[in-house]
Amino acid sequence: RLPSSDGLPQVARALSDLAFVYRRLGVYVVAIKLQEEAASMLQAIHEGGQHPDLANSLSELGCCHYAVGRFGAALHMHTEALEMRQELAKLGSVPTADVVSSMHRLAMVHMNM
């Protein structure tokens, strides 16, 4: 049973953090599944809008796809994360370093396509 809707952002963040650990361990199938679940929850929580946690989740999902050679999916995730972070940076909601990180990750995908 999931916690009340007030607790869902924490659950989504925890799933994303756990997915990051699995990615670092090289267990990409599990990492992708957890990160997709986190991203889906965050999209529902923020009603499809933009949020730093969602941008992070999309970026991490892109890293997972990149690691297993799914460059098309990685490109899509990193592009979404970059666009979201650029908009959020205009509002002061994310640091410029996050935008630069997304640009770097997107460039890495392009280099390997």
Side-chain angles (χ1 to χ4, degrees):
R1 183 171 167 300
L2 288 174
S4 69
S5 61
D6 291 344
L8 287 180
Q10 290 82 7
V11 172
R13 203 169 303 119
L15 286 171
S16 186
D17 290 345
L18 188 56
F20 176 80
V21 171
Y22 276 104
R23 179 173 72 86
R24 297 297 297 219
L25 292 171
V27 186
Y28 301 112
V29 173
V30 174
I32 289 169
K33 183 177 187 225
L34 291 169
Q35 203 61 260
E36 285 175 340
E37 190 173 346
S40 179
M41 287 179 80
L42 289 164
Q43 286 172 332
I45 291 165
H46 301 293
E47 299 176 359
Q50 299 176 340
H51 191 273
D53 289 343
L54 178 56
N56 290 340
S57 186
L58 294 173
S59 182
E60 285 298 317
L61 189 52
C63 290
C64 292
H65 285 298
Y66 177 84
V68 296
R70 295 181 191 152
F71 299 124
L75 181 68
H76 177 71
M77 294 294 112
H78 285 308
T79 299
E80 275 193 57
L82 174 60
E83 290 172 355
M84 191 175 296
R85 284 175 167 170
Q86 287 173 323
E87 290 301 314
L88 290 166
K90 290 177 188 174
L91 303 171
S93 298
V94 299
T96 304
D98 285 0
V99 176
V100 173
S101 174
S102 283
M103 288 177 175
H104 173 75
R105 289 175 172 181
L106 195 54
M108 294 302 294
V109 174
H110 279 288
M111 286 176 47
N112 287 285
M113 289 186 83

